[in-house]
C-alpha cells in the first residue's frame, strides 16, 4: 500500500491558488519539478505550497525518493496544467516528481509510479488516463521522463505504474517477481507478456490489441482480459524476438523494442545482471555495454 504523508494547505491557500472544489478526477497528470537543486525534495515543495507559493501554481502531490506528501485534496481543481479552466486543471489530479540532485532519481520514479497506481485504483481509472503535462499544454514536462533521463522513458514509467503489485513494499526499488503467478495462471496481461519476454508497455499492447481485433484499446480491464485470452490462445508462435533487431540504433531501449522484448528499467536490470553488468542504474556507459552484449 502507498504511504502518503498529508500536509494539506490552508483554506486561504485553496482560495488563492486553485479553483476550489469540483475536480472531476478523470485523469492523473505527471509533472517533474524542473528543480535540480540539493534539498529541492518533496518536503521543500510541500512547504512551498503551504506557505502560499509566490507563483500562481498548485498541485496535489509531490514525491521524492523517500516520501510522498499530499498538499491538496483530490477534489480541488489545482493550477498545474497551464490550460486555465480546461480539463487539465479541472479534471485531473496532479503529481510532481522531484529531481533534486541529492535524491535517488530511480527511486523517485518508483515512488511516483506507485502513487499513480494508487490514484488510478482509488478513482477507478485505467492506464489511458495517465497524462503528461505536455498533453494539456505545449511544455516539455515531465522533461526527464520524456528525454529518457538515466535510461527511464515515459513508456518505462507507464510500465512501472502497471507493474505495481498490491503487496509490493512501497518505496523500494526491488520488484516482486518472486510472487508473480505462472504465465498460464496469471490474469494480468502485463505479467503474461513479461513472462514471455514481450514488451508490455501500453503502446505495444495497443498494437497487439489491434492485431487481435480489439478496437479502440484504452487499457480497460475488459480489454486487457480479452487481449490476454487471445494471446494465450495464440501461444508463443508470434512472440519470438527477431534474431537481429535494429543494428543501427545506439539505444538499448530501441534495440529491445526492435526485437519485441520488454525494455523497461526492471527488465534491463535483469538483463544486465545476466550479462555480468553489476549495479545497473541505466547510465549511458552501462546502456552501451548492455547493448553490445545483447547484440553479441
Amino acid at each position: 500500500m502507498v504511504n502518503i504523508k498529508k500536509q494539506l494547505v490552508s483554506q486561504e491557500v485553496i482560495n488563492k491558488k486553485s479553483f476550489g472544489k469540483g475536480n472531476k478526477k478523470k485523469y492523473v497528470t505527471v509533472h517533474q519539478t524542473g528543480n535540480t537543486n540539493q534539498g529541492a525534495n518533496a518536503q521543500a515543495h510541500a512547504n512551498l505550497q503551504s506557505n502560499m507559493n509566490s507563483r500562481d501554481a498548485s498541485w496535489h502531490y509531490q514525491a521524492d525518493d523517500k516520501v510522498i506528501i499530499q498538499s491538496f485534496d483530490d477534489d480541488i481543481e489545482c493550477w498545474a496544467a497551464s490550460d486555465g479552466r480546461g480539463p487539465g486543471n479541472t479534471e485531473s489530479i496532479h503529481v510532481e516528481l522531484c529531481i533534486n540532485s541529492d535524491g535517488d532519481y530511480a527511486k523517485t520514479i518508483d515512488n511516483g509510479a506507485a502513487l499513480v497506481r494508487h490514484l488510478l485504483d482509488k478513482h477507478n481509472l485505467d492506464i489511458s488516463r495517465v497524462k503528461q503535462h505536455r498533453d494539456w499544454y505545449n511544455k516539455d514536462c515531465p522533461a526527464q521522463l520524456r528525454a529518457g533521463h538515466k535510461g527511464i522513458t515515459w513508456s518505462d514509467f507507464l510500465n512501472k505504474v502497471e507493474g505495481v503489485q498490491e503487496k509490493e513494499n512501497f518505496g523500494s526499488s526491488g520488484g516482486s517477481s518472486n510472487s508473480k503467478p505462472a504465465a498460464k495462471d496469471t490474469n494480468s496481461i502485463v505479467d503474461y507478456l513479461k513472462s514471455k519476454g514481450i514488451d508490455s508497455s501500453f503502446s505495444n499492447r495497443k498494437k497487439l490489441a489491434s492485431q487481435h481485433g480489439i478496437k479502440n484499446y484504452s487499457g480497460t480491464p475488459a480489454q486487457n482480459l480479452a487481449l490476454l485470452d487471445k494471446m494465450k490462445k495464440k501461444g508463443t508462435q508470434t512472440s519470438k524476438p527477431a534474431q537481429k533487431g535494429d543494428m543501427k540504433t545506439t539505444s538499448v531501449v530501441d534495440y529491445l523494442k526492435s526485437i519485441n522484448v520488454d525494455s523497461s528499467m526492471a527488465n534491463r536490470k535483469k538483463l544486465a545482471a545476466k550479462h555480468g553488468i553489476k549495479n545497473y542504474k541505466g547510465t549511458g556507459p552501462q546502456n552501451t555495454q548492455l547493448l553490445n552484449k545483447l547484440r553479441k
Side-chain angles (χ1 to χ4, degrees):
M1 297 296 290
V2 176
N3 297 319
I4 299 172
K5 173 184 175 182
K6 286 198 174 186
Q7 184 178 311
L8 299 179
V9 301
S10 66
Q11 187 61 48
E12 181 184 11
V13 173
I14 292 174
N15 293 343
K16 293 184 177 181
K17 299 296 177 180
S18 78
F19 291 132
K21 292 185 177 181
N23 191 344
K24 295 180 175 62
K25 302 181 284 289
K26 292 182 178 180
Y27 306 95
V28 177
T29 301
V30 179
H31 309 252
Q32 287 177 298
T33 63
N35 190 345
T36 59
N37 292 335
Q38 291 189 10
N41 56 18
Q43 188 62 65
H45 283 83
N47 292 344
L48 176 68
Q49 298 211 89
S50 293
N51 295 327
M52 191 72 71
N53 190 348
S54 60
R55 295 172 53 237
D56 285 336
S58 54
W59 51 91
H60 298 86
Y61 299 86
Q62 43 264 307
D64 62 20
D65 56 332
K66 297 180 177 64
V67 67
I68 288 171
I69 304 176
Q70 182 178 9
S71 294
F72 289 82
D73 282 329
D74 293 357
D75 61 351
I76 299 296
E77 297 177 351
C78 285
W79 295 345
S82 314
D83 68 341
R85 289 190 177 272
N89 281 339
T90 63
E91 298 181 1
S92 185
I93 300 168
H94 295 274
V95 173
E96 284 278 1
L97 305 180
C98 297
I99 58 169
N100 48 304
S101 58
D102 55 340
D104 185 323
Y105 179 78
K107 286 187 178 179
T108 296
I109 298 304
D110 285 345
N111 289 353
L115 172 59
V116 171
R117 175 77 268 165
H118 164 74
L119 292 171
L120 293 180
D121 292 344
K122 179 179 179 181
H123 298 293
N124 195 29
L125 303 173
D126 62 63
I127 193 70
S128 69
R129 297 307 179 106
V130 181
K131 300 295 183 180
Q132 301 179 19
H133 186 174
R134 173 81 177 196
D135 291 324
W136 306 119
Y137 185 76
N138 188 23
K139 180 179 179 179
D140 187 19
C141 180
Q144 287 70 32
L145 283 171
R146 287 171 53 79
H149 180 58
K150 293 194 174 181
I152 306 174
T153 66
W154 176 250
S155 291
D156 291 335
F157 181 77
L158 293 180
N159 262 348
K160 288 176 179 289
V161 171
E162 293 209 297
V164 172
Q165 302 295 316
E166 185 177 352
K167 295 181 180 179
E168 186 174 351
N169 289 329
F170 172 69
S172 72
S173 58
S176 55
S177 58
N178 291 337
S179 62
K180 280 185 181 178
K184 65 179 181 179
D185 298 323
T186 184
N187 289 319
S188 165
I189 182 62
V190 172
D191 286 346
Y192 180 81
L193 291 173
K194 286 181 177 179
S195 73
K196 297 296 184 182
I198 301 174
D199 179 8
S200 62
S201 67
F202 177 78
S203 59
N204 194 53
R205 281 184 284 112
K206 192 170 184 178
K207 291 178 184 177
L208 291 170
S210 178
Q211 291 170 7
H212 288 82
I214 301 172
K215 298 180 179 179
N216 302 317
Y217 180 82
S218 60
T220 65
Q223 289 174 326
N224 284 335
L225 285 174
L227 179 57
L228 176 63
D229 183 59
K230 288 179 179 291
M231 292 296 294
K232 283 181 174 179
K233 287 180 179 178
K234 195 165 186 178
T236 60
Q237 291 181 356
T238 61
S239 64
K240 292 180 181 180
Q243 295 298 311
K244 197 169 184 180
D246 186 351
M247 300 303 288
K248 293 182 179 180
T249 184
T250 57
S251 165
V252 69
V253 172
D254 289 344
Y255 179 77
L256 288 170
K257 287 180 179 178
S258 76
I259 59 174
N260 208 26
V261 173
D262 180 9
S263 62
S264 68
M265 179 67 174
N267 196 50
R268 280 184 280 120
K269 194 169 184 178
K270 292 178 183 177
L271 291 171
K274 288 180 181 178
H275 287 84
I277 302 172
K278 298 180 179 179
N279 301 317
Y280 179 82
K281 295 181 180 179
T283 65
Q286 287 177 326
N287 284 335
T288 299
Q289 187 180 6
L290 179 57
L291 177 62
N292 291 335
K293 288 181 178 290
L294 288 170
R295 280 177 171 161
K296 290 178 181 178

